[in-house]
Every structure is written in C-alpha cells, then in structure tokens.
Amino acid sequence: MKNTNEYIENPALGCMIGRAYQILLSQLAEALKEAGLDITTSEYLVLRAVFSKEGLQQCEIAEMVGKDKAAVCRCVAGLVKKELLATEPVSHKCLKVYMTEKSREMEPLIMEVARKRHQAFIDLTAPGDMEIFTRIIKNIIKTK
C-alpha cells in the first residue's frame, strides 16, 4: 500500500494539466471577446481547423481538435448561423465545411488574437522548455 504522504507530496499532474488547459481557454475567450469577436473557444478551434484546410468533414474536424463529433456538429451549426461557415452535404449524415467571405475577412484578426495568446504562453517558459513540453504532450497523445 502506498504511503498517504505520497499523494500529498506528488502533484496530481493530470489535474494540473486540466486546470492549465482551462486557464488557457479562459484567457483565449477573454482575448477573443476583447477583440470584438463573437466566437467561443470551441468555435475558434473549429474555425482554425477549417482555416487550415477547407472541405473537411465534421468527423475530421473532431479528430483534429480533440472534440467529439456531436460537439463539433453543434459548433459548426452555430458558425453557420453566424455566417462564418458554410456546409455541403456529402451524405445524409456527413457534411463538408467551408469558410465564408465573412470568415475569410475575420481570419487575420482571429489568428492574430491566437498568436498573441500563444506568445504569452511561450513567454511563461524558459528557453528550450517549450520543445520539451511539446514533445511530452505529443507522447501523451500518441498513447491514446
């Protein structure tokens, strides 16, 4: 049996990672709001995926952003209502997703907000730490 002090001395790393993720999302949400952008962080993730490659299917977007397909479908529907995305049916269950003129116009501002948040995150680390951190996170994801 493990010593109960071990639970106190060793941080709950998974909880810390989850908390850090929530803080980063909150900071991104605030930055998007301050920039006058009416998009949630989940919508941002979907938009970013579509910015990287148009014509993705919703299931492909879900895999890219690490969200379930239902959540991505809700985001896409919301972004279609906001006229930021357009869809094209592939089958009765599958849609391809495309940018609209409005999202093309907003893309530079959205990506600038994201770049500034990313830089603020990098600024928290010492030289070389980001490469190590990225490698560790990629290794965790690979074990999925």
Side-chain angles (χ1 to χ4, degrees), residues 3-140:
N3 181 339
T4 55
N5 287 336
E6 184 177 339
Y7 293 109
I8 296 169
E9 293 168 7
N10 294 323
L13 192 55
C15 292
M16 290 170 56
I17 291 169
R19 180 71 177 127
Y21 176 70
Q22 292 302 317
I23 290 168
L24 292 171
L25 281 181
S26 177
Q27 290 171 345
L28 176 60
E30 186 61 32
L32 291 167
K33 184 179 176 182
E34 286 175 6
L37 295 165
D38 179 29
I39 59 173
T40 66
T41 54
S42 292
E43 290 172 337
Y44 158 77
L45 292 172
V46 170
L47 283 169
R48 186 166 179 147
V50 178
F51 291 165
S52 72
K53 183 177 180 187
E54 287 197 78
L56 290 170
Q57 296 178 21
Q58 290 175 327
C59 57
E60 293 172 311
I61 295 169
E63 180 67 26
M64 285 177 76
V65 303
K67 301 276 185 187
D68 64 67
K69 188 178 174 196
V72 169
C73 290
R74 286 189 299 273
C75 280
V76 168
L79 289 164
V80 167
K81 284 182 184 175
K82 293 178 182 180
E83 300 179 350
L84 293 171
L85 291 179
T87 59
E88 175 183 292
V90 175
S91 70
H92 70 285
K93 286 188 172 185
C94 185
L95 298 173
K96 285 189 175 186
V97 182
Y98 298 92
M99 294 171 65
T100 62
E101 188 59 38
K102 186 175 178 180
S103 61
R104 286 182 210 290
E105 290 171 5
M106 291 175 65
E107 181 183 10
L109 177 57
I110 292 168
M111 296 312 295
E112 179 62 15
V113 169
R115 187 197 64 72
K116 285 180 180 176
R117 289 305 322 141
H118 182 73
Q119 187 60 51
F121 177 62
I122 289 172
D123 291 345
L124 295 173
T125 63
D129 283 355
M130 189 54 68
E131 291 79 18
I132 295 167
F133 182 72
T134 301
R135 186 174 66 245
I136 292 168
I137 294 296
K138 284 181 179 180
N139 287 339
I140 291 170

